[in-house]
């Protein structure tokens, strides 16, 4: 893999008006939708995976869509899969279905653990339970996400806008808290399912909750901004992790995938959306970039090269399983560090949480007992 040419912004960047970013962002979405099949024509579906015996993978949001396909294919390749989900009964039903598909062959190694990303205390509880096993974790796939298209602004019980918490804050907290298990599983990987809509995102660390009136809320702004913040946060995390920790950090784009995000929109809009499935990836096709990032043997070396070159962002894998650039705004290292510090504050972690956890110390989180 060859890293892209160096590009870094270290100062404040004047933000373009939302309507300009929106037009630009939707142009990227339309281009991806029209040409993604041609770009990914070299990929097989499903993506062939190597044997994954003795590999433990956590997949969040694994009862539907991309997460379901990701968990299924990892398990079918021999991995021990932890389905981190809210709806545990749905997960157990899927395991029975998948085992039936195996026609009585070797039992799949899958377990179900409760994780509600709308509750930061649930994240802390999950991480504490996982780490208490003192077993290695090789792959964490932060897949779960939400895009309540056209819906009014909502907040979690922790007081954060729901797109912000589910798509970004909760997975960020989970990733930090699971560092002890990921170090035990070294070489290990943290993989974050991102989106082409990162191109229309912006991050204002003074108003990430869209409550100060600086930007009028809409779900597209919230979703795209949470995906941009994700790249910025994990870019800083990759830099703060020493090479000897053996943890690779990546974001991946699944492509434009046929999902149920339009379920709350008018029937006419849903009808138009359902007329274009020929251009859209299926969930199985959309899972390929995450599966590639989780299993390709060249990924650790590629991530190390980016770090050695002081590349401003973490590795980013396209929907056609090739390295690509993140959004330009994600290259602003000063803004990324502001996002890092703000995120640790919002998730109740100390600024030296990573260093403490890597040294085997405890990093107290204010949501531990909530």
């Amino acid at each position: 893999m060859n890293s892209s040419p160096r590009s870094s912004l270290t100062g404040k960047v004047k933000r373009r008006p939302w309507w300009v970013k929106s037009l630009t962002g939707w142009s990227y979405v339309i281009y991806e939708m029209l040409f993604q099949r041609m770009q990914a024509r070299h990929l097989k579906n499903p993506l062939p995976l190597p044997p994954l015996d003795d590999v433990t993978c956590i997949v969040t949001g694994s009862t539907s869509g991309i997460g379901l396909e990701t968990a299924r294919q990892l398990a079918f390749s021999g991995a021990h899969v932890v389905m981190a989900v809210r709806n545990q009964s749905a997960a157990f039903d899927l395991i029975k279905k998948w085992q039936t598909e195996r026609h009585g062959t070797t039992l799949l190694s899958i377990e179900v653990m409760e994780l509600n990303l709308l509750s930061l205390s649930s994240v802390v509880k999950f991480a504490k339970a996982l780490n208490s096993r003192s077993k290695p974790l090789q792959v964490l796939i932060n897949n779960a996400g939400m895009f309540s298209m056209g819906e009014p602004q909502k907040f979690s019980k922790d007081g954060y806008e729901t797109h912000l918490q589910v798509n970004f804050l909760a997975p960020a907290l989970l990733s930090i808290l699971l560092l002890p298990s990921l170090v035990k599983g070294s070489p290990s990987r943290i993989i974050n399912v991102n989106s082409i809509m990162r191109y229309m995102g912006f991050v204002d660390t003074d108003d990430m909750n869209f409550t100060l009136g600086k930007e009028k809320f809409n779900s597209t702004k919230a979703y795209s901004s949470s995906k941009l913040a994700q790249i910025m946060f994990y870019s800083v995390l990759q830099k703060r992790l020493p090479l000897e920790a053996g943890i690779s950090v990546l974001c991946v784009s699944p492509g434009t995938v046929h999902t149920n995000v339009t379920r709350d929109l008018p029937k006419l809009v849903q009808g138009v959306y359902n007329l274009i499935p020929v251009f859209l990836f299926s969930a199985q096709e959309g899972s390929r970039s995450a599966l590639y990032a989780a299993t390709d043997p060249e990924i650790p070396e590629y991530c190390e090269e980016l770090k050695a070159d002081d590349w401003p962002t973490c590795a980013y894998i396209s929907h056609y399983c090739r390295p690509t650039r993140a959004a330009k705004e994600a290259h602003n290292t000063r803004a990324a560090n502001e996002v890092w510090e703000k995120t640790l504050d919002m998730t109740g972690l100390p600024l030296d949480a990573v260093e403490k956890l890597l040294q085997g110390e405890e990093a107290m989180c204010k949501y531990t007992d909530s």
Side-chain angles (χ1 to χ4, degrees):
M1 293 183 180
N2 294 319
S3 59
S4 303
R6 184 185 303 274
S7 173
S8 179
L9 300 172
T10 56
K12 290 285 187 180
V13 177
K14 185 176 180 180
R15 197 166 76 218
R16 291 176 293 168
W18 167 247
W19 68 269
V20 176
K21 288 190 69 66
S22 183
L23 285 176
T24 302
W26 284 116
S27 69
Y28 277 107
V29 173
I30 293 170
Y31 179 86
E32 179 179 87
M33 181 182 69
L34 293 176
F35 296 103
Q36 62 181 2
R37 290 198 174 280
M38 182 175 67
Q39 293 171 323
R41 62 186 181 277
H42 61 285
L43 297 176
K44 294 182 179 180
N45 188 45
L47 187 75
L49 301 182
L52 297 174
D53 302 310
D54 301 318
V55 174
T56 297
C57 307
I58 294 175
V59 184
T60 67
S62 43
T63 54
S64 64
I66 294 170
L68 182 157
E69 286 295 334
T70 302
R72 184 180 69 84
Q73 292 181 61
L74 289 170
F76 278 27
S77 295
H80 175 68
V81 175
V82 179
M83 298 178 70
V85 299
R86 282 192 303 169
N87 188 341
Q88 295 183 80
S89 62
F92 285 120
D93 289 342
L94 283 171
I95 294 171
K96 291 179 183 178
K97 177 184 176 182
W98 294 342
Q99 193 63 58
T100 301
E101 292 175 10
R102 300 278 286 181
H103 303 294
T105 57
T106 307
L107 287 175
L108 298 173
S109 180
I110 311 177
E111 65 175 307
V112 178
M113 293 181 66
E114 183 178 9
L115 176 64
N116 179 6
L117 297 181
L118 282 170
S119 166
L120 295 180
S121 61
S122 174
V123 174
V124 175
K125 182 179 178 181
F126 177 95
K128 185 176 181 180
L130 201 290
N131 288 332
S132 68
R133 303 176 179 183
S134 297
K135 292 183 179 180
L137 170 64
Q138 284 79 23
V139 180
L140 167 62
I141 301 179
N142 289 313
N143 162 81
M146 66 174 295
F147 184 10
S148 299
M149 190 181 290
E151 287 286 288
Q153 188 174 18
K154 297 178 182 177
F155 297 90
S156 71
K157 71 173 188 178
D158 300 307
Y160 298 128
E161 193 278 321
T162 52
H163 293 88
L164 176 68
Q165 178 153 332
V166 172
N167 298 341
F168 173 50
L169 292 178
L173 177 61
L174 180 66
S175 299
I176 298 295
L177 294 179
L178 287 179
L179 286 177
S181 294
L182 287 161
V183 169
K184 288 186 177 72
S186 173
S188 53
R189 311 177 189 197
I190 300 174
I191 298 157
N192 305 282
V193 178
N194 202 254
S195 170
I196 188 66
M197 292 183 70
R198 65 191 184 274
Y199 284 109
M200 66 179 81
F202 61 87
V203 179
D204 181 349
T205 53
D206 293 327
D207 191 24
M208 296 179 74
N209 240 5
F210 289 93
T211 54
L212 299 182
K214 299 169 73 174
E215 280 283 346
K216 185 178 179 181
F217 174 86
N218 69 53
S219 56
T220 302
K221 286 181 186 177
Y223 176 81
S224 58
S225 297
S226 70
K227 292 300 183 180
L228 177 60
Q230 181 186 74
I231 303 171
M232 299 171 86
F233 176 85
Y234 285 98
S235 296
V236 177
L237 175 60
Q238 177 69 81
K239 290 179 173 62
R240 296 179 75 95
L241 290 171
L243 285 175
E244 56 268 26
I247 303 174
S248 301
V249 180
L250 308 93
C251 290
V252 303
S253 176
T256 308
V257 182
H258 194 279
T259 65
N260 61 354
V261 296
T262 62
R263 63 186 179 276
D264 297 316
L265 293 182
K267 296 296 183 182
L268 178 61
V269 177
Q270 293 185 41
V272 172
Y273 183 74
N274 290 326
L275 287 176
I276 55 176
V278 66
F279 296 108
L280 302 178
F281 277 176
S282 65
Q284 186 177 78
E285 291 169 319
S287 70
R288 292 181 297 195
S289 57
L291 291 168
Y292 172 82
T295 61
D296 188 86
E298 295 184 10
I299 288 294
E301 181 180 356
Y302 175 57
C303 291
E304 289 178 11
E305 289 176 359
L306 292 182
K307 188 166 185 173
D309 290 343
D310 200 26
W311 184 247
T313 70
C314 64
Y316 199 103
I317 303 299
S318 69
H319 58 277
Y320 48 93
C321 298
R322 293 288 185 270
T324 190
R325 288 174 178 266
K328 180 180 178 180
E329 287 85 349
H331 287 233
N332 186 327
T333 54
R334 177 178 172 180
N337 279 296
E338 290 179 358
V339 169
W340 171 265
E341 293 184 5
K342 185 67 173 181
T343 303
L344 293 180
D345 178 62
M346 295 176 80
T347 55
L349 289 172
L351 289 177
D352 60 351
V354 170
E355 290 73 20
K356 283 186 173 180
L357 290 168
L358 291 179
Q359 293 169 9
E361 301 176 18
E362 187 175 4
M364 291 301 297
C365 175
K366 74 177 184 181
Y367 291 99
T368 299
D369 299 317
S370 60

